[in-house]
Amino acid sequence: MRLLKLTRTIQEGWNNFCRNGWLSVATILVMALSLYVVAITVLLGVSFSVISKNVQDRISISVYFNPDVSEEDLLGIKENLEEYREVRSVEFVSREQALQELLDGEEEDSTIKKAVDAAGGNPLFASLVVRAHDPNDYDMINSAIEESYFAEKISHINFERNKDVITRLRTMFQTARNVGLVTGIFFVALAIVITYNTVRITLYSRRQEFEVMRLVGASNVYVRMPSIVEGVLYGLAGAMAVMILLGVTFYVVSQLSIGTIPQGKIMSVYFQYFGLILLGLVTLGTTLGVISSYIAITRYLKK
Amino acid sequence: MIVFDKVTKVFPGDFVALENINLTIDTGSFVSLVGPSGAGKSTLLKMIYAEEEPTEGEVIFFNRPISSIKRRLLPYFRRNIGMVFQDFKLLPQKTVFENVSYALEVYGKSDEEINEEVPKILDIVGLLDKMEKYPAQLSGGEQQKTSLARALIHRPKVIIADEPTGNLDPTSKWDIVQLLLKINDFGTTVILASHDKNIVDKIDKRVIGMQDGKIVRDTKHGKYTE
């Protein structure tokens, strides 16, 4: 008996969903738009944090040493620096490596090459590239190096030159994160309100049916359940629609960004996270649909 | 047997819809309720199917005071009563067959029983060939017959018809009334509220006249007017 009622309820919900035609389509569209906005906000947030992580990884302090400092000394200093808690990595770049990097890809008769030749040998310094865990620690690391036992072996540090850029990037990331968080919350709230209202209007247009159902002897549960099934279906259909829409968005963005980001990278992100995004959207969509239906129909069952 | 025992209904704003109604409707009888709009006919009917509660007094349905029925159990109680309305109250998204079968589905009847019972009832009201149609594809008379079939499907003790012919053409009106008389012949109590003088006169059964919330006359083989 319970099973019979359950299958009937699901059948009811499915029939209503199909037979409501345009009303269902409109509800799904609104649901899809809300989910799309939420999905885009979340994805933008995620990719922004990936990018910002990337950029932060590139910030570093290069410490250039006088030409008379031996390689063993430098490796000793490197080990010493690596012991700091704040330091993530120290990379040793020898004079030869520096020259190699400089000349890499230059033409045989390029100006740089001529300049190096004119200097009569390798004019570059050996250096240690220091990276911190937290960009906020560079100031401290810089002064620690300046006051260290090997200070007089240092030719120059490029921190002062990069300092401005580092600080500016840092504030930019913080602002962007806060703005993103606030707009994200705003959009999610908006999506909830819009979906709720749309489902409510859909059910409002059928409120007389609920009365009829009760008059012919349907219990409240029996009136309510099909609408909740409908809510689930709206959520599912909305999530599917958004997956398609997102696929298109990813494709367009990947086409627009040819040359700036490695080709195919953006599309591969879509396919890599397909399951996760779908799961998130289905969960959010059905939850929204069910809660909206439940609240809305309760209003019409008061009596 | 349905008994109204000193029933009074006052709506908010001190509007007295029914005033001290004492009435007994025998099992298996056919009663026509007549009177102008606002006389209290619909309110009286609503009390039988527990859509309205009396402010004072008690309605007793087959020895059971309706006020003693728990709200949760009202849907089960309503299965004793078949209802037909002026506006048909059909579910527009359902076919004729589904509209009728819905009343059995909510009851938890099996598909086999439904497939057996529904065509029988549709045959009685003469809609067997239209059972796959939607209400919008039917005439008013056919919609009312669907509604009547739905009311009959539980084999209820009582049929309540509130202006069932109000929206129909003369031929359909008479079809519906004849169906109601036929149902009554099978032993079902029928309570009909109507404005229609021709119809009430033709039925030639008990007539109860109402005005301003009171019963003003009660005749065994009555006419619409005296």
Side-chain angles (χ1 to χ4, degrees), chain A residues 1 4 8 12 19-20 209 212-218 222 303, chain B residues 51 71 75 79 83 89 93-94 98 102 105-106 109 111 114 134 150:
Chain A
M1 176 102 159
L4 182 71
R8 273 184 187 155
E12 268 298 300
R19 290 178 189 175
N20 272 326
E209 290 179 37
V212 175
M213 289 174 182
R214 285 194 318 113
L215 283 182
V216 301
Y222 209 89
K303 258 199 205 171
Chain B
E51 186 73 6
R71 181 159 294 259
R79 289 165 193 166
M83 282 166 273
K89 294 204 193 296
Q93 318 272 9
K94 292 186 187 296
E98 288 166 340
Y102 186 80
E105 283 172 20
V106 299
K109 290 266 179 166
D111 289 343
I114 288 174
Y134 289 92
R150 181 180 63 189

PDB file of all heavy atoms in Angstrom, chain A residues 1 4 8 12 19-20 209 212-218 222 303, chain B residues 51 71 75 79 83 89 93-94 98 102 105-106 109 111 114 134 150:
ATOM      1  N   MET A   1       0.832  -1.207   0.000  1.00  0.00           N
ATOM      2  CA  MET A   1       0.000   0.000   0.000  1.00  0.00           C
ATOM      3  C   MET A   1       0.865   1.254   0.000  1.00  0.00           C
ATOM      4  O   MET A   1       0.666   2.158  -0.803  1.00  0.00           O
ATOM      5  CB  MET A   1      -0.883  -0.025   1.242  1.00  0.00           C
ATOM      6  CG  MET A   1      -1.717   1.218   1.386  1.00  0.00           C
ATOM      7  SD  MET A   1      -3.407   0.960   0.892  1.00  0.00           S
ATOM      8  CE  MET A   1      -4.214   2.299   1.740  1.00  0.00           C
ATOM      9  N   LEU A   4       2.626   1.407  -3.264  1.00  0.00           N
ATOM     10  CA  LEU A   4       1.674   1.794  -4.294  1.00  0.00           C
ATOM     11  C   LEU A   4       1.483   3.300  -4.273  1.00  0.00           C
ATOM     12  O   LEU A   4       1.517   3.969  -5.303  1.00  0.00           O
ATOM     13  CB  LEU A   4       0.343   1.084  -4.036  1.00  0.00           C
ATOM     14  CG  LEU A   4      -0.755   1.340  -5.058  1.00  0.00           C
ATOM     15  CD1 LEU A   4      -0.422   0.659  -6.369  1.00  0.00           C
ATOM     16  CD2 LEU A   4      -2.093   0.837  -4.544  1.00  0.00           C
ATOM     17  N   ARG A   8       2.592   5.956  -7.156  1.00  0.00           N
ATOM     18  CA  ARG A   8       1.554   6.828  -7.714  1.00  0.00           C
ATOM     19  C   ARG A   8       1.928   8.289  -7.577  1.00  0.00           C
ATOM     20  O   ARG A   8       1.701   9.089  -8.470  1.00  0.00           O
ATOM     21  CB  ARG A   8       0.230   6.577  -7.001  1.00  0.00           C
ATOM     22  CG  ARG A   8      -0.518   5.463  -7.653  1.00  0.00           C
ATOM     23  CD  ARG A   8      -1.863   5.275  -7.030  1.00  0.00           C
ATOM     24  NE  ARG A   8      -2.443   4.060  -7.602  1.00  0.00           N
ATOM     25  CZ  ARG A   8      -3.356   3.328  -7.003  1.00  0.00           C
ATOM     26  NH1 ARG A   8      -3.811   3.698  -5.826  1.00  0.00           N
ATOM     27  NH2 ARG A   8      -3.830   2.249  -7.585  1.00  0.00           N
ATOM     28  N   GLU A  12       2.294  10.846 -10.488  1.00  0.00           N
ATOM     29  CA  GLU A  12       1.546  12.102 -10.461  1.00  0.00           C
ATOM     30  C   GLU A  12       2.451  13.281 -10.765  1.00  0.00           C
ATOM     31  O   GLU A  12       2.160  14.113 -11.601  1.00  0.00           O
ATOM     32  CB  GLU A  12       1.026  12.375  -9.045  1.00  0.00           C
ATOM     33  CG  GLU A  12      -0.328  11.917  -8.604  1.00  0.00           C
ATOM     34  CD  GLU A  12      -1.450  12.513  -9.364  1.00  0.00           C
ATOM     35  OE1 GLU A  12      -1.609  13.753  -9.370  1.00  0.00           O
ATOM     36  OE2 GLU A  12      -2.174  11.726  -9.941  1.00  0.00           O
ATOM     37  N   ARG A  19       2.631  17.659 -18.232  1.00  0.00           N
ATOM     38  CA  ARG A  19       1.416  18.252 -18.779  1.00  0.00           C
ATOM     39  C   ARG A  19       1.332  19.747 -18.536  1.00  0.00           C
ATOM     40  O   ARG A  19       0.535  20.434 -19.154  1.00  0.00           O
ATOM     41  CB  ARG A  19       0.185  17.569 -18.178  1.00  0.00           C
ATOM     42  CG  ARG A  19       0.047  16.149 -18.680  1.00  0.00           C
ATOM     43  CD  ARG A  19      -1.126  15.466 -18.043  1.00  0.00           C
ATOM     44  NE  ARG A  19      -1.121  14.045 -18.383  1.00  0.00           N
ATOM     45  CZ  ARG A  19      -1.977  13.162 -17.889  1.00  0.00           C
ATOM     46  NH1 ARG A  19      -2.891  13.568 -17.036  1.00  0.00           N
ATOM     47  NH2 ARG A  19      -1.915  11.913 -18.233  1.00  0.00           N
ATOM     48  N   ASN A  20       2.153  20.278 -17.641  1.00  0.00           N
ATOM     49  CA  ASN A  20       2.116  21.719 -17.398  1.00  0.00           C
ATOM     50  C   ASN A  20       2.778  22.507 -18.516  1.00  0.00           C
ATOM     51  O   ASN A  20       2.668  23.713 -18.572  1.00  0.00           O
ATOM     52  CB  ASN A  20       2.784  22.061 -16.079  1.00  0.00           C
ATOM     53  CG  ASN A  20       1.804  21.985 -14.937  1.00  0.00           C
ATOM     54  OD1 ASN A  20       0.637  22.305 -15.117  1.00  0.00           O
ATOM     55  ND2 ASN A  20       2.253  21.530 -13.799  1.00  0.00           N
ATOM     56  N   GLU A 209      -6.709  23.278  -7.629  1.00  0.00           N
ATOM     57  CA  GLU A 209      -6.596  21.826  -7.760  1.00  0.00           C
ATOM     58  C   GLU A 209      -6.356  21.171  -6.413  1.00  0.00           C
ATOM     59  O   GLU A 209      -6.860  20.095  -6.132  1.00  0.00           O
ATOM     60  CB  GLU A 209      -5.447  21.464  -8.703  1.00  0.00           C
ATOM     61  CG  GLU A 209      -5.743  21.826 -10.124  1.00  0.00           C
ATOM     62  CD  GLU A 209      -4.588  21.489 -11.026  1.00  0.00           C
ATOM     63  OE1 GLU A 209      -3.943  20.452 -10.774  1.00  0.00           O
ATOM     64  OE2 GLU A 209      -4.315  22.266 -11.945  1.00  0.00           O
ATOM     65  N   VAL A 212      -9.588  20.841  -4.713  1.00  0.00           N
ATOM     66  CA  VAL A 212     -10.377  19.750  -5.279  1.00  0.00           C
ATOM     67  C   VAL A 212      -9.862  18.408  -4.773  1.00  0.00           C
ATOM     68  O   VAL A 212     -10.631  17.527  -4.387  1.00  0.00           O
ATOM     69  CB  VAL A 212     -10.323  19.796  -6.821  1.00  0.00           C
ATOM     70  CG1 VAL A 212     -11.042  18.590  -7.408  1.00  0.00           C
ATOM     71  CG2 VAL A 212     -10.943  21.076  -7.326  1.00  0.00           C
ATOM     72  N   MET A 213      -8.539  18.266  -4.761  1.00  0.00           N
ATOM     73  CA  MET A 213      -7.954  17.010  -4.308  1.00  0.00           C
ATOM     74  C   MET A 213      -8.404  16.681  -2.889  1.00  0.00           C
ATOM     75  O   MET A 213      -8.743  15.547  -2.572  1.00  0.00           O
ATOM     76  CB  MET A 213      -6.432  17.098  -4.344  1.00  0.00           C
ATOM     77  CG  MET A 213      -5.879  17.113  -5.752  1.00  0.00           C
ATOM     78  SD  MET A 213      -4.115  17.404  -5.706  1.00  0.00           S
ATOM     79  CE  MET A 213      -3.753  17.426  -7.451  1.00  0.00           C
ATOM     80  N   ARG A 214      -8.403  17.718  -2.049  1.00  0.00           N
ATOM     81  CA  ARG A 214      -8.811  17.475  -0.663  1.00  0.00           C
ATOM     82  C   ARG A 214     -10.277  17.095  -0.598  1.00  0.00           C
ATOM     83  O   ARG A 214     -10.675  16.221   0.164  1.00  0.00           O
ATOM     84  CB  ARG A 214      -8.547  18.709   0.185  1.00  0.00           C
ATOM     85  CG  ARG A 214      -7.070  18.904   0.514  1.00  0.00           C
ATOM     86  CD  ARG A 214      -6.846  19.911   1.597  1.00  0.00           C
ATOM     87  NE  ARG A 214      -7.710  21.086   1.440  1.00  0.00           N
ATOM     88  CZ  ARG A 214      -8.676  21.390   2.268  1.00  0.00           C
ATOM     89  NH1 ARG A 214      -8.880  20.671   3.323  1.00  0.00           N
ATOM     90  NH2 ARG A 214      -9.412  22.451   2.047  1.00  0.00           N
ATOM     91  N   LEU A 215     -11.098  17.762  -1.442  1.00  0.00           N
ATOM     92  CA  LEU A 215     -12.539  17.487  -1.403  1.00  0.00           C
ATOM     93  C   LEU A 215     -12.862  16.066  -1.827  1.00  0.00           C
ATOM     94  O   LEU A 215     -13.814  15.470  -1.338  1.00  0.00           O
ATOM     95  CB  LEU A 215     -13.288  18.480  -2.293  1.00  0.00           C
ATOM     96  CG  LEU A 215     -13.476  19.871  -1.697  1.00  0.00           C
ATOM     97  CD1 LEU A 215     -14.259  20.746  -2.641  1.00  0.00           C
ATOM     98  CD2 LEU A 215     -14.189  19.787  -0.354  1.00  0.00           C
ATOM     99  N   VAL A 216     -12.077  15.501  -2.751  1.00  0.00           N
ATOM    100  CA  VAL A 216     -12.370  14.130  -3.153  1.00  0.00           C
ATOM    101  C   VAL A 216     -11.685  13.122  -2.243  1.00  0.00           C
ATOM    102  O   VAL A 216     -11.627  11.946  -2.553  1.00  0.00           O
ATOM    103  CB  VAL A 216     -12.041  13.837  -4.635  1.00  0.00           C
ATOM    104  CG1 VAL A 216     -12.836  14.756  -5.534  1.00  0.00           C
ATOM    105  CG2 VAL A 216     -10.565  13.961  -4.905  1.00  0.00           C
ATOM    106  N   GLY A 217     -11.147  13.601  -1.139  1.00  0.00           N
ATOM    107  CA  GLY A 217     -10.678  12.669  -0.115  1.00  0.00           C
ATOM    108  C   GLY A 217      -9.186  12.412  -0.083  1.00  0.00           C
ATOM    109  O   GLY A 217      -8.748  11.451   0.533  1.00  0.00           O
ATOM    110  N   ALA A 218      -8.396  13.260  -0.752  1.00  0.00           N
ATOM    111  CA  ALA A 218      -6.945  13.079  -0.680  1.00  0.00           C
ATOM    112  C   ALA A 218      -6.430  13.647   0.637  1.00  0.00           C
ATOM    113  O   ALA A 218      -6.815  14.739   1.032  1.00  0.00           O
ATOM    114  CB  ALA A 218      -6.266  13.777  -1.851  1.00  0.00           C
ATOM    115  N   TYR A 222      -0.872  13.272   0.420  1.00  0.00           N
ATOM    116  CA  TYR A 222      -1.115  12.870  -0.954  1.00  0.00           C
ATOM    117  C   TYR A 222      -1.198  14.071  -1.896  1.00  0.00           C
ATOM    118  O   TYR A 222      -0.867  13.977  -3.067  1.00  0.00           O
ATOM    119  CB  TYR A 222      -2.408  12.061  -1.030  1.00  0.00           C
ATOM    120  CG  TYR A 222      -2.403  11.073  -2.148  1.00  0.00           C
ATOM    121  CD1 TYR A 222      -1.905   9.794  -1.966  1.00  0.00           C
ATOM    122  CD2 TYR A 222      -2.853  11.419  -3.414  1.00  0.00           C
ATOM    123  CE1 TYR A 222      -1.870   8.892  -2.997  1.00  0.00           C
ATOM    124  CE2 TYR A 222      -2.822  10.521  -4.459  1.00  0.00           C
ATOM    125  CZ  TYR A 222      -2.330   9.257  -4.233  1.00  0.00           C
ATOM    126  OH  TYR A 222      -2.288   8.372  -5.275  1.00  0.00           O
ATOM    127  N   LYS A 303      -6.050  25.002   5.569  1.00  0.00           N
ATOM    128  CA  LYS A 303      -7.362  24.684   6.115  1.00  0.00           C
ATOM    129  C   LYS A 303      -7.433  23.317   6.746  1.00  0.00           C
ATOM    130  O   LYS A 303      -6.989  22.359   6.144  1.00  0.00           O
ATOM    131  CB  LYS A 303      -8.391  24.760   4.996  1.00  0.00           C
ATOM    132  CG  LYS A 303      -9.181  26.043   5.064  1.00  0.00           C
ATOM    133  CD  LYS A 303     -10.454  25.883   4.262  1.00  0.00           C
ATOM    134  CE  LYS A 303     -10.993  27.226   3.772  1.00  0.00           C
ATOM    135  NZ  LYS A 303     -12.077  27.068   2.846  1.00  0.00           N
TER     136      LYS A 303
ATOM    137  N   GLU B  51     -16.683  21.187   5.632  1.00  0.00           N
ATOM    138  CA  GLU B  51     -15.867  22.293   5.134  1.00  0.00           C
ATOM    139  C   GLU B  51     -16.093  23.529   6.019  1.00  0.00           C
ATOM    140  O   GLU B  51     -15.253  24.399   6.100  1.00  0.00           O
ATOM    141  CB  GLU B  51     -16.236  22.565   3.668  1.00  0.00           C
ATOM    142  CG  GLU B  51     -15.381  23.586   2.953  1.00  0.00           C
ATOM    143  CD  GLU B  51     -13.983  23.072   2.615  1.00  0.00           C
ATOM    144  OE1 GLU B  51     -13.708  21.877   2.841  1.00  0.00           O
ATOM    145  OE2 GLU B  51     -13.165  23.865   2.140  1.00  0.00           O
ATOM    146  N   ARG B  71      -9.430  16.297  12.613  1.00  0.00           N
ATOM    147  CA  ARG B  71      -9.072  16.984  11.376  1.00  0.00           C
ATOM    148  C   ARG B  71      -8.273  16.067  10.423  1.00  0.00           C
ATOM    149  O   ARG B  71      -8.493  16.034   9.230  1.00  0.00           O
ATOM    150  CB  ARG B  71      -8.228  18.210  11.748  1.00  0.00           C
ATOM    151  CG  ARG B  71      -7.781  19.067  10.620  1.00  0.00           C
ATOM    152  CD  ARG B  71      -7.441  20.432  11.155  1.00  0.00           C
ATOM    153  NE  ARG B  71      -8.626  21.097  11.653  1.00  0.00           N
ATOM    154  CZ  ARG B  71      -9.272  22.033  10.954  1.00  0.00           C
ATOM    155  NH1 ARG B  71      -8.829  22.409   9.796  1.00  0.00           N
ATOM    156  NH2 ARG B  71     -10.345  22.603  11.430  1.00  0.00           N
ATOM    157  N   PRO B  75     -10.255  13.596   5.509  1.00  0.00           N
ATOM    158  CA  PRO B  75     -10.238  13.022   4.155  1.00  0.00           C
ATOM    159  C   PRO B  75     -10.930  11.667   4.094  1.00  0.00           C
ATOM    160  O   PRO B  75     -11.612  11.358   3.119  1.00  0.00           O
ATOM    161  CB  PRO B  75      -8.754  12.889   3.840  1.00  0.00           C
ATOM    162  CG  PRO B  75      -8.095  13.917   4.667  1.00  0.00           C
ATOM    163  CD  PRO B  75      -8.913  13.998   5.919  1.00  0.00           C
ATOM    164  N   ARG B  79     -14.957  10.469   2.179  1.00  0.00           N
ATOM    165  CA  ARG B  79     -15.189   9.395   1.204  1.00  0.00           C
ATOM    166  C   ARG B  79     -16.594   8.803   1.329  1.00  0.00           C
ATOM    167  O   ARG B  79     -17.025   8.041   0.474  1.00  0.00           O
ATOM    168  CB  ARG B  79     -14.128   8.303   1.375  1.00  0.00           C
ATOM    169  CG  ARG B  79     -12.782   8.791   0.889  1.00  0.00           C
ATOM    170  CD  ARG B  79     -11.641   7.939   1.343  1.00  0.00           C
ATOM    171  NE  ARG B  79     -10.376   8.646   1.090  1.00  0.00           N
ATOM    172  CZ  ARG B  79      -9.217   8.291   1.601  1.00  0.00           C
ATOM    173  NH1 ARG B  79      -9.148   7.245   2.394  1.00  0.00           N
ATOM    174  NH2 ARG B  79      -8.131   8.972   1.334  1.00  0.00           N
ATOM    175  N   MET B  83     -19.515  14.632  -3.990  1.00  0.00           N
ATOM    176  CA  MET B  83     -19.885  16.037  -4.159  1.00  0.00           C
ATOM    177  C   MET B  83     -19.871  16.448  -5.619  1.00  0.00           C
ATOM    178  O   MET B  83     -18.976  16.077  -6.370  1.00  0.00           O
ATOM    179  CB  MET B  83     -18.926  16.915  -3.384  1.00  0.00           C
ATOM    180  CG  MET B  83     -19.233  16.919  -1.897  1.00  0.00           C
ATOM    181  SD  MET B  83     -17.874  17.609  -0.991  1.00  0.00           S
ATOM    182  CE  MET B  83     -16.893  16.165  -0.748  1.00  0.00           C
ATOM    183  N   LYS B  89     -15.299  21.482 -10.731  1.00  0.00           N
ATOM    184  CA  LYS B  89     -14.100  21.199  -9.936  1.00  0.00           C
ATOM    185  C   LYS B  89     -13.352  19.955 -10.427  1.00  0.00           C
ATOM    186  O   LYS B  89     -12.966  19.091  -9.646  1.00  0.00           O
ATOM    187  CB  LYS B  89     -14.444  21.050  -8.442  1.00  0.00           C
ATOM    188  CG  LYS B  89     -14.936  22.345  -7.815  1.00  0.00           C
ATOM    189  CD  LYS B  89     -14.713  22.343  -6.331  1.00  0.00           C
ATOM    190  CE  LYS B  89     -15.456  23.472  -5.617  1.00  0.00           C
ATOM    191  NZ  LYS B  89     -14.998  24.814  -5.989  1.00  0.00           N
ATOM    192  N   GLN B  93      -5.542  18.902 -15.618  1.00  0.00           N
ATOM    193  CA  GLN B  93      -4.405  18.182 -16.192  1.00  0.00           C
ATOM    194  C   GLN B  93      -4.674  16.693 -16.328  1.00  0.00           C
ATOM    195  O   GLN B  93      -3.784  15.948 -16.710  1.00  0.00           O
ATOM    196  CB  GLN B  93      -3.160  18.341 -15.303  1.00  0.00           C
ATOM    197  CG  GLN B  93      -2.955  19.704 -14.771  1.00  0.00           C
ATOM    198  CD  GLN B  93      -2.151  20.551 -15.716  1.00  0.00           C
ATOM    199  OE1 GLN B  93      -1.896  20.147 -16.844  1.00  0.00           O
ATOM    200  NE2 GLN B  93      -1.744  21.717 -15.276  1.00  0.00           N
ATOM    201  N   LYS B  94      -5.886  16.287 -15.936  1.00  0.00           N
ATOM    202  CA  LYS B  94      -6.167  14.848 -15.949  1.00  0.00           C
ATOM    203  C   LYS B  94      -7.281  14.530 -16.932  1.00  0.00           C
ATOM    204  O   LYS B  94      -8.198  15.332 -17.110  1.00  0.00           O
ATOM    205  CB  LYS B  94      -6.568  14.392 -14.543  1.00  0.00           C
ATOM    206  CG  LYS B  94      -5.439  14.450 -13.538  1.00  0.00           C
ATOM    207  CD  LYS B  94      -5.892  13.851 -12.219  1.00  0.00           C
ATOM    208  CE  LYS B  94      -4.853  14.033 -11.141  1.00  0.00           C
ATOM    209  NZ  LYS B  94      -3.613  13.324 -11.424  1.00  0.00           N
ATOM    210  N   GLU B  98      -8.754   9.622 -15.510  1.00  0.00           N
ATOM    211  CA  GLU B  98      -7.870   9.928 -14.371  1.00  0.00           C
ATOM    212  C   GLU B  98      -8.576  10.751 -13.300  1.00  0.00           C
ATOM    213  O   GLU B  98      -8.314  10.575 -12.112  1.00  0.00           O
ATOM    214  CB  GLU B  98      -6.630  10.672 -14.860  1.00  0.00           C
ATOM    215  CG  GLU B  98      -5.678   9.777 -15.630  1.00  0.00           C
ATOM    216  CD  GLU B  98      -4.638  10.572 -16.390  1.00  0.00           C
ATOM    217  OE1 GLU B  98      -4.858  11.769 -16.640  1.00  0.00           O
ATOM    218  OE2 GLU B  98      -3.605   9.992 -16.744  1.00  0.00           O
ATOM    219  N   TYR B 102      -8.663   9.156  -9.738  1.00  0.00           N
ATOM    220  CA  TYR B 102      -7.940   9.846  -8.668  1.00  0.00           C
ATOM    221  C   TYR B 102      -8.615   9.622  -7.314  1.00  0.00           C
ATOM    222  O   TYR B 102      -7.946   9.379  -6.309  1.00  0.00           O
ATOM    223  CB  TYR B 102      -7.850  11.336  -8.982  1.00  0.00           C
ATOM    224  CG  TYR B 102      -7.007  12.102  -8.002  1.00  0.00           C
ATOM    225  CD1 TYR B 102      -5.616  12.088  -8.102  1.00  0.00           C
ATOM    226  CD2 TYR B 102      -7.583  12.821  -6.957  1.00  0.00           C
ATOM    227  CE1 TYR B 102      -4.830  12.761  -7.206  1.00  0.00           C
ATOM    228  CE2 TYR B 102      -6.794  13.499  -6.051  1.00  0.00           C
ATOM    229  CZ  TYR B 102      -5.424  13.475  -6.180  1.00  0.00           C
ATOM    230  OH  TYR B 102      -4.642  14.132  -5.284  1.00  0.00           O
ATOM    231  N   GLU B 105      -7.552   6.338  -6.215  1.00  0.00           N
ATOM    232  CA  GLU B 105      -6.114   6.274  -5.935  1.00  0.00           C
ATOM    233  C   GLU B 105      -5.801   6.783  -4.534  1.00  0.00           C
ATOM    234  O   GLU B 105      -5.014   6.181  -3.808  1.00  0.00           O
ATOM    235  CB  GLU B 105      -5.327   7.102  -6.959  1.00  0.00           C
ATOM    236  CG  GLU B 105      -5.179   6.405  -8.295  1.00  0.00           C
ATOM    237  CD  GLU B 105      -4.568   7.317  -9.332  1.00  0.00           C
ATOM    238  OE1 GLU B 105      -3.930   8.320  -8.943  1.00  0.00           O
ATOM    239  OE2 GLU B 105      -4.730   7.027 -10.527  1.00  0.00           O
ATOM    240  N   VAL B 106      -6.435   7.917  -4.176  1.00  0.00           N
ATOM    241  CA  VAL B 106      -6.141   8.498  -2.864  1.00  0.00           C
ATOM    242  C   VAL B 106      -6.603   7.563  -1.738  1.00  0.00           C
ATOM    243  O   VAL B 106      -6.187   7.682  -0.603  1.00  0.00           O
ATOM    244  CB  VAL B 106      -6.797   9.893  -2.674  1.00  0.00           C
ATOM    245  CG1 VAL B 106      -6.269  10.861  -3.699  1.00  0.00           C
ATOM    246  CG2 VAL B 106      -8.303   9.805  -2.760  1.00  0.00           C
ATOM    247  N   LYS B 109      -6.667   2.185  -3.562  1.00  0.00           N
ATOM    248  CA  LYS B 109      -7.187   1.024  -4.298  1.00  0.00           C
ATOM    249  C   LYS B 109      -6.152   0.536  -5.310  1.00  0.00           C
ATOM    250  O   LYS B 109      -5.374   1.316  -5.846  1.00  0.00           O
ATOM    251  CB  LYS B 109      -8.467   1.419  -5.042  1.00  0.00           C
ATOM    252  CG  LYS B 109      -9.638   1.659  -4.118  1.00  0.00           C
ATOM    253  CD  LYS B 109     -10.479   0.411  -3.948  1.00  0.00           C
ATOM    254  CE  LYS B 109     -11.624   0.720  -3.000  1.00  0.00           C
ATOM    255  NZ  LYS B 109     -12.670  -0.255  -3.001  1.00  0.00           N
ATOM    256  N   ASP B 111      -4.561  -1.015  -8.843  1.00  0.00           N
ATOM    257  CA  ASP B 111      -4.775  -0.673 -10.245  1.00  0.00           C
ATOM    258  C   ASP B 111      -5.849  -1.563 -10.879  1.00  0.00           C
ATOM    259  O   ASP B 111      -6.646  -1.106 -11.692  1.00  0.00           O
ATOM    260  CB  ASP B 111      -3.467  -0.797 -11.025  1.00  0.00           C
ATOM    261  CG  ASP B 111      -2.492   0.313 -10.658  1.00  0.00           C
ATOM    262  OD1 ASP B 111      -2.949   1.314 -10.064  1.00  0.00           O
ATOM    263  OD2 ASP B 111      -1.297   0.176 -10.961  1.00  0.00           O
ATOM    264  N   ILE B 114      -9.200  -0.312  -9.899  1.00  0.00           N
ATOM    265  CA  ILE B 114      -9.469   0.957 -10.580  1.00  0.00           C
ATOM    266  C   ILE B 114      -9.879   0.692 -12.028  1.00  0.00           C
ATOM    267  O   ILE B 114     -10.876   1.225 -12.512  1.00  0.00           O
ATOM    268  CB  ILE B 114      -8.233   1.868 -10.505  1.00  0.00           C
ATOM    269  CG1 ILE B 114      -8.073   2.377  -9.073  1.00  0.00           C
ATOM    270  CG2 ILE B 114      -8.360   3.027 -11.475  1.00  0.00           C
ATOM    271  CD1 ILE B 114      -6.811   3.161  -8.839  1.00  0.00           C
ATOM    272  N   TYR B 134      -9.555  15.322 -22.117  1.00  0.00           N
ATOM    273  CA  TYR B 134      -9.324  16.235 -20.998  1.00  0.00           C
ATOM    274  C   TYR B 134     -10.560  17.112 -20.810  1.00  0.00           C
ATOM    275  O   TYR B 134     -11.308  17.324 -21.774  1.00  0.00           O
ATOM    276  CB  TYR B 134      -8.097  17.109 -21.272  1.00  0.00           C
ATOM    277  CG  TYR B 134      -6.818  16.324 -21.198  1.00  0.00           C
ATOM    278  CD1 TYR B 134      -6.278  15.730 -22.337  1.00  0.00           C
ATOM    279  CD2 TYR B 134      -6.167  16.148 -19.982  1.00  0.00           C
ATOM    280  CE1 TYR B 134      -5.117  14.986 -22.261  1.00  0.00           C
ATOM    281  CE2 TYR B 134      -5.006  15.396 -19.905  1.00  0.00           C
ATOM    282  CZ  TYR B 134      -4.475  14.822 -21.041  1.00  0.00           C
ATOM    283  OH  TYR B 134      -3.343  14.072 -20.964  1.00  0.00           O
ATOM    284  N   ARG B 150     -17.147  10.833 -10.664  1.00  0.00           N
ATOM    285  CA  ARG B 150     -16.149  10.870  -9.598  1.00  0.00           C
ATOM    286  C   ARG B 150     -16.822  10.802  -8.221  1.00  0.00           C
ATOM    287  O   ARG B 150     -16.340  10.135  -7.301  1.00  0.00           O
ATOM    288  CB  ARG B 150     -15.322  12.154  -9.708  1.00  0.00           C
ATOM    289  CG  ARG B 150     -14.239  12.256  -8.641  1.00  0.00           C
ATOM    290  CD  ARG B 150     -13.441  13.520  -8.785  1.00  0.00           C
ATOM    291  NE  ARG B 150     -14.264  14.698  -8.582  1.00  0.00           N
ATOM    292  CZ  ARG B 150     -13.861  15.927  -8.824  1.00  0.00           C
ATOM    293  NH1 ARG B 150     -12.668  16.147  -9.309  1.00  0.00           N
ATOM    294  NH2 ARG B 150     -14.659  16.958  -8.608  1.00  0.00           N
TER     295      ARG B 150
END
